[in-house]
Amino acid sequence: MAILDLNDAEKVTAYQEFVRRDPRGQVTQDPLWGELKSNWGHVYVYHETNGRIDAVLSVLTVEAVTGKLLGYAGRGPIADIDDIDLIKSMIEEALTALPDNVFLIRMDPEVPYTPARNTAYQNAGFVTRNRDITHMHGNIQPRKNVVLYYDGRGEGAKPITNEDDLMLHFKRDYRNQIRRAAKDGVTVTSGDSEADVRAFFETYVMMATAQSITHRPIDYFLRMQKLWQGTGLFKVFLAHFEGHVVASGIGFSYGDEIWYMYAGSDRRYAKHYGPYAVQWHMLQWGLALGKVAYNFGGVGDFVPTDGLYKFKHGFAYHDPHAEYIGELDWVLDDSAYQMYLEQFS
């Protein structure tokens, strides 16, 4: 077990290659994510077997209670999540390099919730936050996701091996809307340039304004673009109609999954179904790369009245719901922890 030395280029490369290529890999465990979150601290832990990295824990820190730091391992660790002794040893290693005022190490790995797994973590001393929690935290990844599985899961699902299979996987009206977009002249481009990001951002702000929600600043996405440009792991998809960008999406390719992370749309052109065209092309990207899964991201709940679920589910209505284990909290200062929880109650 060791702390990653960011001045050791060879080891940093090995760490990143593991995070990117391991089937469980997640962009939020890549040290580049720590660079993106420029106002957060960071510590990176790795475990080796026979000189090869086989587990990592990337922990970013931010003040979440006055004078106290939250340590967050977004979608981490990348490891055998049921080897709790290993997970605890990585946390202990991280604590040797973290400031003394860290009150919590929080993990939310992308692994399914099971009662047995939940109980095992509780018995090991963790506080788990999942099915019994009403208010999850806004700075933590959603626990319930819609996922399309290319390998064919769920009732009526078949393995998806080509674009025809992919199209037939969707609901009938979604297939019609994708075709309607093409018939109307909607085209989709993809890239990782600054111009792509700026075009995305315009629709992103439009969508946020229409939904009365906050949005990240342009500088955040420009940093993202500079950090991942040329890696092949990051793409911006833009739907164009009559010279206008009418919808967009940002996706990351890590491990065996595409993660659809950000989106935007211009409602003035809703009848041309730009968002459906964007998803069609992003899903083709995952198919071409031989991915196992395409993660549409979080939803409030798996019900038709949830707007996010309503849109995403039409692409993946064959697929089982992805309900993850949720928040696994290693509490170091219970008083600060309770103060933190009260902010979201």
Side-chain angles (χ1 to χ4, degrees), residues 11-52:
K11 189 60 72 175
V12 170
T13 296
Y15 191 106
Q16 288 186 310
E17 287 299 305
F18 173 77
V19 170
R20 296 172 181 186
R21 295 185 179 181
D22 187 87
R24 303 160 296 189
Q26 295 287 329
V27 62
T28 46
Q29 287 291 288
D30 191 321
L32 286 185
W33 197 258
E35 293 188 49
L36 176 65
K37 300 286 188 177
S38 57
N39 61 324
W40 293 56
H42 49 258
V43 168
Y44 306 108
V45 177
Y46 62 92
H47 177 271
E48 292 181 310
T49 300
N50 298 323
R52 296 180 64 87

Side-chain angles (χ1 to χ4, degrees), residues 6 9 35 88 161 237 278 326:
L6 294 177
E35 293 188 49
K88 289 179 72 171
T161 61
F237 289 77
V278 166

